Amino acid sequence: MTSPPRRPSNNNVPPQLPDPLATPCSFLRNNSASATPSLIATPPPPFKYPLPHSPYYDARTSLGSNSSSSTNLKMEDKLRYWRHDAYLKNLYETAAFWGNKVVTITGDSNDVFWLAQIYYNMGQYVRAQKLIWKLMDTSVACRFLAAKCCIKQEKYQEALELLGEENTFADRGYRSLVKNTEGGIQLEASICYLRGYALSQQANLDSAKKCFKEALELDVKCYEAFHELVSNHMMTVKEEWDFINSLKYEEQLDCEEARFVRMNYISMLQKYDHVTEIQEARAELEEVWRLSNNIDVLLSRAEELYSQCRFKECLEITSKILELDTHNPACLPIHIVCLHELREKNKLFLLAHELVEHSPDIPVTWFGVGCYYYLIGQNDESRRYFSKASTMDSHYGPAWIGFGHSFAVESEHDQAITAYSTAAKLYEGSHIPYLFIGMQHLQANNLLSADEYLSTSLQLCEGDPLVYNELGVMYYQKLNNATAIDYFKRALILVEETKCRPQVWETTWMNLGHAFRKMGDLDAAITYFQKVTTMTPPSPSALTAIGYCYHVKEEYEEAVMYYHESLGIRPADPITQDLLERCLEEMILLVNEEKENERV
């Protein structure tokens, strides 16, 4: 009897022995302007006196009719004050009303800029763009704002024509900036980020990645660029680590600030490598900077637990995050997948219903609905909602992964591979889509293609045990059991190093046992199968496998004992029943032969 290895499954009840390969579970042009405009890093403040610490103060107290400061101010200064105060309080109509008056009185370019900024926040992008059109040749800040208006209108090529498709500051020494004494975010870095965002929306991901990296090189505080690189998996695990550690923190910031920014970024990297360094960075943020209850620090811990398949512990942290920050967009996908993995149908249904009610315009909402239908086995419905999420945002990778899973569970390999391939194009630095494509080729017995994709996945990430497990399965199917054993062992070493939950990797222990059994080393096989029986709940498949090894060794009494123990857990297993019958028949034949020999 031969039994192919199986993939790690998160179900409490392991599959029968032998079992077909399990389906994967969800676990993720040059500048048109000939000359560069003069640079205005940030518009100067519109008034000559400092703002109070709180934006929500009584204007009458600060500028009352009896105040000496009020009588000394010109009307335009008072109007600027009213405009900015209303802007800080999100009273945009009021801000626009008084801002319009001060623009008419002064005609000052800064007043024009601030009025356009108000229009932008009101969602009146064409109006804002028209207002600053004449200033774009002399002010980079206005050109930047106009490009942001184009982005909001999804006019990405027009935005690139305003910004230029290349970093115009690169040839002017901006890569080696002196420390930013103003303390803000460098406008040059913001422009690089916005250029990268426009390119990413045009699916020009290589150029977009270059722009995001340039933004961080210009100013390490430009978090949007870091977020795009990391959340969209634009770099491999190794590339992320090398790039983040290559940034010139100390050249741009004071020592303390540089350390703080660097520790924050390190804590948010992928958790498949340099786990100890990431844990140390997170511990420093918690202990030195008192960020133990910070959303991003908690999310870093949740991502680590998720990568270790410790879904219950991960769910506890994501639940805490959502209590502190309802519908946090970075936390929701992990929270939803944890609910799916733990088969929390009711909780997932309630969360999906809440998201549909309050946030129907974001893709993660419909991803959650799709996960619920996938969990209850309604794959057609799940595909409908995964498709809706990907339609709302064609760059939303989780929806494409879920879409592929809904086909994979029905053994629709070609459709699943198509969905995973789309995710692979979006997440060029992630090994997950290539891993799932390789798994589909394994199920279809396309070993050559499986080898190609699994090897690519391994090149992208050498710290995921599942990649080594799948490579072991592939070599097992190629009848290269020695190599299969090597990969299974390396997978289990990583499981131990990353402190993954052992029960999740039960199948890898089973695979290792089967590989030794195929090589004829039955004692080693029994050792690994017995490792599985010590886990909770006990695995009837492992008990059957142990019985079969004793059966082959013609130790029938031991075999019968393990077969009976397996049937005690899973009575209707036809394979174990058939093996038990054969074992009993062989025992009877052996007894009869011994009796005949005694008579002779």
Side-chain angles (χ1 to χ4, degrees):
M1 182 187 74
T2 60
S3 175
R6 295 164 285 113
R7 281 178 188 73
S9 170
N10 297 315
N11 296 333
N12 291 330
V13 180
Q16 297 177 357
L17 173 75
D19 192 33
L21 291 174
T23 54
C25 296
S26 55
F27 275 56
L28 95 196
R29 230 167 23 166
N30 293 333
N31 187 359
S32 58
S34 58
T36 303
S38 60
L39 183 66
I40 300 178
T42 54
F47 27 75
K48 300 178 177 63
Y49 48 88
L51 278 174
H53 292 297
S54 172
Y56 300 106
Y57 58 91
D58 192 340
R60 292 171 298 179
T61 304
S62 299
L63 291 174
S65 58
N66 296 326
S67 171
S68 60
S69 63
S70 174
T71 57
N72 294 332
L73 289 175
K74 297 180 181 179
M75 178 56 70
E76 52 265 34
D77 290 327
K78 296 178 183 178
L79 292 173
R80 286 166 177 154
Y81 173 82
W82 298 346
R83 175 198 68 199
H84 206 72
D85 186 61
Y87 178 81
L88 292 174
K89 293 176 178 175
N90 300 321
L91 300 173
Y92 296 127
E93 287 290 351
T94 301
F97 182 81
W98 299 120
N100 176 269
K101 301 302 179 290
V102 73
V103 166
T104 303
I105 293 172
T106 67
D108 188 271
S109 59
N110 286 307
D111 294 324
V112 173
F113 176 86
W114 277 108
L115 182 57
Q117 190 77 35
I118 294 166
Y119 290 157
Y120 177 85
N121 282 276
M122 294 171 70
Q124 299 178 7
Y125 307 117
V126 176
R127 194 179 179 190
Q129 198 172 2
K130 186 70 175 178
L131 183 64
I132 58 175
W133 195 259
K134 294 180 181 180
L135 301 176
M136 288 192 295
D137 290 336
T138 57
S139 170
V140 175
C142 290
R143 183 177 286 255
F144 175 69
L145 181 57
K148 288 178 67 178
C149 293
C150 292
I151 294 290
K152 288 293 185 181
Q153 299 173 75
E154 299 184 358
K155 298 178 180 179
Y156 303 116
Q157 188 57 42
E158 188 175 331
L160 288 173
E161 289 171 358
L162 288 171
L163 298 171
E165 295 190 15
E166 297 293 335
N167 181 11
T168 55
F169 308 111
D171 298 331
R172 295 166 53 183
Y174 280 90
R175 286 187 178 275
S176 56
L177 291 173
V178 295
K179 291 184 179 179
N180 183 5
T181 57
E182 296 177 356
I185 309 301
Q186 293 284 357
L187 185 58
E188 309 95 297
S190 303
I191 290 173
C192 286
Y193 157 72
L194 198 63
R195 182 186 299 114
Y197 183 82
L199 289 166
S200 69
Q201 294 301 306
Q202 292 183 329
N204 190 349
L205 299 181
D206 289 337
S207 297
K209 178 170 73 171
K210 177 184 175 183
C211 291
F212 293 141
K213 293 172 74 172
E214 287 176 340
L216 283 168
E217 288 169 349
L218 290 169
D219 192 338
V220 295
K221 303 186 301 297
C222 187
Y223 172 75
E224 277 92 348
F226 173 83
H227 177 72
E228 290 291 331
L229 287 169
V230 174
S231 65
N232 292 322
H233 298 277
M234 288 187 162
M235 297 185 289
T236 65
V237 176
K238 184 178 185 304
E239 286 175 340
E240 278 187 2
W241 180 261
D242 293 343
F243 175 69
I244 292 304
N245 283 283
S246 71
L247 293 175
K248 309 300 182 182
Y249 303 95
E250 289 77 9
E251 293 183 13
Q252 299 181 27
L253 302 169
D254 293 334
C255 182
E256 185 180 50
E257 296 169 346
R259 180 75 179 177
F260 182 71
V261 173
R262 182 175 181 176
M263 291 301 101
N264 271 280
Y265 285 172
I266 288 177
S267 72
M268 301 175 72
L269 299 179
Q270 296 183 60
K271 309 303 188 294
Y272 292 105
D273 202 359
H274 300 284
V275 178
T276 303
E277 291 91 336
I278 293 172
Q279 290 173 343
E280 291 173 352
R282 187 169 60 245
E284 181 175 328
L285 292 172
E286 293 173 349
E287 297 168 7
V288 177
W289 302 102
R290 305 184 304 279
L291 292 177
S292 57
N293 286 324
N294 180 261
I295 300 298
D296 295 318
V297 175
L298 289 171
L299 187 59
S300 171
R301 174 60 176 158
E303 289 172 347
E304 180 182 312
L305 292 170
Y306 178 78
S307 68
Q308 297 170 355
C309 303
R310 295 160 66 180
F311 301 114
K312 187 175 181 180
E313 298 168 67
C314 181
L315 183 63
E316 292 175 359
I317 295 182
T318 57
S319 298
K320 180 179 180 180
I321 292 173
L322 294 177
E323 288 177 3
L324 297 171
D325 184 6
T326 304
H327 299 171
N328 181 287
C331 177
L332 276 174
I334 300 177
H335 186 73
I336 288 169
V337 173
C338 285
L339 289 173
H340 172 272
E341 293 294 337
L342 296 171
R343 307 193 66 80
E344 295 283 0
K345 298 178 185 179
N346 294 336
K347 291 182 180 180
L348 185 53
F349 172 81
L350 291 173
L351 175 62
H353 184 80
E354 182 182 345
L355 288 170
V356 170
E357 182 179 356
H358 296 289
S359 305
D361 55 344
I362 56 176
V364 69
T365 294
W366 304 107
F367 171 72
V369 176
C371 285
Y372 170 74
Y373 282 108
Y374 180 70
L375 176 58
I376 65 175
Q378 296 187 19
N379 297 313
D380 290 336
E381 284 295 307
S382 72
R383 279 194 284 272
R384 173 186 169 191
Y385 290 107
F386 287 140
S387 178
K388 184 170 183 176
S390 64
T391 301
M392 294 181 71
D393 182 0
S394 60
H395 297 79
Y396 190 63
W400 289 106
I401 294 292
F403 198 59
H405 286 349
S406 67
F407 285 113
V409 75
E410 296 178 345
S411 298
E412 296 286 348
H413 304 304
D414 292 339
Q415 292 90 332
I417 288 172
T418 300
Y420 295 144
S421 297
T422 303
K425 292 177 183 177
L426 298 174
Y427 289 173
E428 291 185 343
S430 175
H431 70 290
I432 295 292
Y434 295 100
L435 173 61
F436 288 148
I437 294 172
M439 292 165 77
Q440 289 303 301
H441 282 299
L442 271 180
Q443 291 190 23
N445 205 31
N446 298 326
L447 300 183
L448 188 62
S449 297
D451 193 353
E452 177 184 351
Y453 283 101
L454 292 176
S455 297
T456 301
S457 182
L458 182 62
Q459 291 173 5
L460 293 173
C461 179
E462 297 180 354
D464 188 350
L466 186 56
V467 178
Y468 291 97
N469 180 80
E470 296 305 311
L471 285 165
V473 173
M474 181 191 70
Y475 281 106
Y476 182 95
Q477 292 190 5
K478 287 182 174 182
L479 305 180
N480 188 344
N481 295 303
T483 305
I485 287 171
D486 182 53
Y487 278 110
F488 291 142
K489 286 184 174 180
R490 289 163 71 180
L492 293 171
I493 290 172
L494 282 174
V495 169
E496 182 67 25
E497 290 177 352
T498 56
K499 300 179 181 178
C500 290
R501 190 163 61 92
Q503 288 81 356
V504 175
W505 299 97
E506 169 188 306
T507 303
T508 304
W509 290 102
M510 291 288 293
N511 292 345
L512 191 55
H514 285 305
F516 275 109
R517 178 179 59 80
K518 290 289 289 183
M519 291 185 70
D521 192 345
L522 299 178
D523 292 331
I526 291 172
T527 300
Y528 290 110
F529 291 139
Q530 285 178 336
K531 173 72 175 179
V532 179
T533 63
T534 63
M535 299 177 184
T536 304
S539 168
S541 297
L543 293 169
T544 300
I546 294 172
Y548 181 77
C549 290
Y550 283 117
H551 192 160
V552 174
K553 293 173 69 175
E554 297 185 354
E555 297 180 18
Y556 298 115
E557 292 183 0
E558 290 288 328
V560 169
M561 181 184 72
Y562 279 103
Y563 288 149
H564 277 300
E565 193 173 346
S566 175
L567 289 170
I569 300 173
R570 193 167 56 195
D573 181 15
I575 295 176
T576 307
Q577 289 176 347
D578 182 58
L579 289 171
L580 178 59
E581 290 175 3
R582 294 186 183 186
C583 185
L584 292 172
E585 290 173 359
E586 292 176 16
M587 284 182 68
I588 294 171
L589 288 174
L590 182 61
V591 170
N592 291 336
E593 288 179 3
E594 290 176 351
K595 290 181 179 179
E596 287 293 329
N597 292 334
E598 289 176 359
R599 291 175 185 174
V600 173

